[in-house]
């Protein structure tokens, strides 16, 4: 269900079409291997993990798992791809989540044995879990990681100026002629964009928002960014945007900082190694790190109320 957009500059049409076909194959393969609820290499792996078996894993999936584990531990598990069972409990492991929300009893029961990526043991070719409740779901990292892999493939094909965008996750290469790639950041509560930024070659930008994947039940909206502390959708944040040097970090950090909330996000950003962050709370107030404030341009008039927050 993710829209993938590829933009190139200064590339012959025939070369661009060949590259587009190659990248489409890449994304179809990744979707086939990494899907969390359609039959895939990941669902097969999850079944074996639930049985306590050491399961063989191919190199591509093992690399994703290893990156995800490292970023999860750095985030104090605010980003936790081990929570696939919690996502499924809420109905977010379906193509069209519709509710109702799960009972408090079911959430409490899962939280009592809450899995984390620390429960995962990785060798050079196998993965095993100590916790039968652990179910991997890479929805909060795979798109950013995949966008970067696609850019690397384009570069291998001889294309040196491009953007790959997978929903709210973008990775850029080169420039748009004599100017940098100029990227708009979606407004979480209104049509259009709230801000824009020029990206350097090799940078990734990811946004996590409460408007991307949700269902409404009895007049209340429930989004998919679940807080492992409560088992419920995280409160207080509307959107978080992160710029980083790689797609996996940008994507995972945007999720982690969204869930961490107003008080914890600066600490988690520092721990995850990111220093370019914009957080928008549910009242529309904006918090920026100094590095993000130095390069971001607000597109709305008047500009939103913003505060520069130094990282600890």
């Amino acid at each position: 269900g993710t829209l993938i957009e590829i933009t190139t500059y200064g590339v012959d049409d025939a070369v661009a079409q060949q590259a587009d076909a190659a990248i489409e194959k890449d994304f179809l393969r990744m979707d086939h291997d990494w899907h969390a609820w359609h039959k895939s290499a990941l669902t097969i792996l999850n079944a074996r993990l639930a049985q306590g078996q050491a399961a063989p894993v191919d190199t591509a999936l093992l690399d994703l798992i290893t990156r995800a584990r490292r970023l999860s531990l750095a985030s104090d598990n605010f980003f936790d791809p081990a929570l696939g069972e919690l996502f499924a409990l809420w109905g977010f492991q379906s193509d069209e989540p519709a509710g109702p929300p799960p009972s408090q009893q079911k959430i409490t029961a899962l939280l009592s044995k809450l899995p984390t990526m620390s429960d995962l043991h990785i060798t050079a070719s196998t993965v095993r879990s100590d916790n039968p409740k652990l179910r991997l779901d890479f929805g909060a990292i795979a798109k950013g990681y995949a966008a970067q892999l696609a850019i690397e493939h384009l570069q291998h094909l001889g294309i040196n100026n491009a953007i790959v965008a997978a929903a709210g996750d973008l990775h850029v290469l080169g420039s748009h002629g004599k100017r940098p790639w100029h990227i708009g950041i979606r407004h979480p509560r209104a049509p259009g964009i709230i801000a824009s930024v020029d990206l350097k070659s090799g940078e990734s930008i990811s946004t996590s928002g409460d408007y991307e994947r949700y269902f409404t039940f009895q007049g209340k909206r429930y989004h998919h960014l679940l807080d492992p502390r409560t088992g419920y959708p995280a409160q207080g944040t509307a959107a978080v945007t992160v710029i980083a040097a790689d797609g996996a970090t940008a994507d995972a950090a945007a999720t982690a900082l969204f869930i961490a909330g107003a008080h914890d996000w600066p600490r988690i950003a520092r721990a995850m190694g990111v220093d370019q962050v914009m957080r928008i709370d549910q009242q529309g107030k904006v918090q920026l790190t100094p590095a993000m404030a130095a390069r971001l341009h607000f597109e709305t008039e008047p500009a939103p109320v913003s505060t520069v927050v130094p990282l600890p």
Side-chain angles (χ1 to χ4, degrees), residues 65-114:
I65 292 170
T66 302
R67 289 170 184 260
R69 186 179 188 277
R70 174 178 56 81
L71 289 165
S72 181
L73 296 179
S75 77
D76 266 4
N77 300 318
F78 285 111
F79 159 68
D80 191 355
L83 296 180
E85 187 156 334
L86 181 62
F87 302 141
L89 187 64
W90 275 90
F92 289 120
Q93 285 194 344
S94 63
D95 293 336
E96 296 183 3
S103 68
Q104 180 63 62
Q105 291 84 353
K106 289 183 178 180
I107 292 174
T108 300
L110 182 56
L111 292 182
S112 69
K113 298 179 181 179
L114 190 69

Side-chain angles (χ1 to χ4, degrees), residues 57-59 62-63 66 121-127:
V57 182
D58 69 29
T59 301
L62 188 66
D63 186 56
T66 302
H121 303 283
I122 304 171
T123 72
S125 59
T126 65
V127 177

Side-chain angles (χ1 to χ4, degrees), residues 116-274:
T116 71
M117 293 298 279
S118 298
D119 298 323
L120 208 58
H121 303 283
I122 304 171
T123 72
S125 59
T126 65
V127 177
R128 180 180 61 82
S129 171
D130 292 332
N131 190 334
K133 294 291 186 182
L134 187 148
R135 186 192 300 184
L136 295 169
D137 183 327
F138 295 114
I141 186 174
K143 292 189 293 295
Y145 181 49
Q148 180 179 339
L149 291 179
I151 282 288
E152 291 172 358
H153 192 169
L154 290 176
Q155 196 168 20
H156 180 74
L157 294 172
I159 294 173
N160 296 312
N161 300 288
I163 300 176
V164 174
D169 303 284
L170 295 86
H171 194 78
V172 306
L173 175 67
S175 62
H176 188 281
K178 295 182 179 180
R179 65 171 177 83
W181 291 109
H182 191 67
I183 305 299
I185 301 170
R186 178 176 170 178
H187 198 300
R189 293 292 183 265
I193 63 175
I194 188 171
S196 62
V197 64
D198 289 337
L199 291 187
K200 303 170 187 175
S201 182
E203 286 189 316
S204 288
I205 184 169
S206 291
T207 297
S208 288
D210 62 5
Y211 49 82
E212 285 289 350
R213 187 166 173 79
Y214 63 90
F215 64 83
T216 302
F217 184 76
Q218 295 182 347
K220 185 174 181 179
R221 187 171 70 166
Y222 298 89
H223 64 78
H224 75 295
L225 294 158
L226 304 178
D227 189 334
R229 296 168 295 187
T230 65
Y232 283 83
Q235 299 298 306
T237 306
V240 169
T241 298
V242 173
I243 298 174
D246 71 276
T249 298
D251 198 359
T255 296
L257 303 186
F258 184 104
I259 295 169
H263 300 294
D264 279 332
W265 77 261
R267 175 179 64 86
I268 300 302
R270 171 67 73 187
M272 297 186 77
V274 297

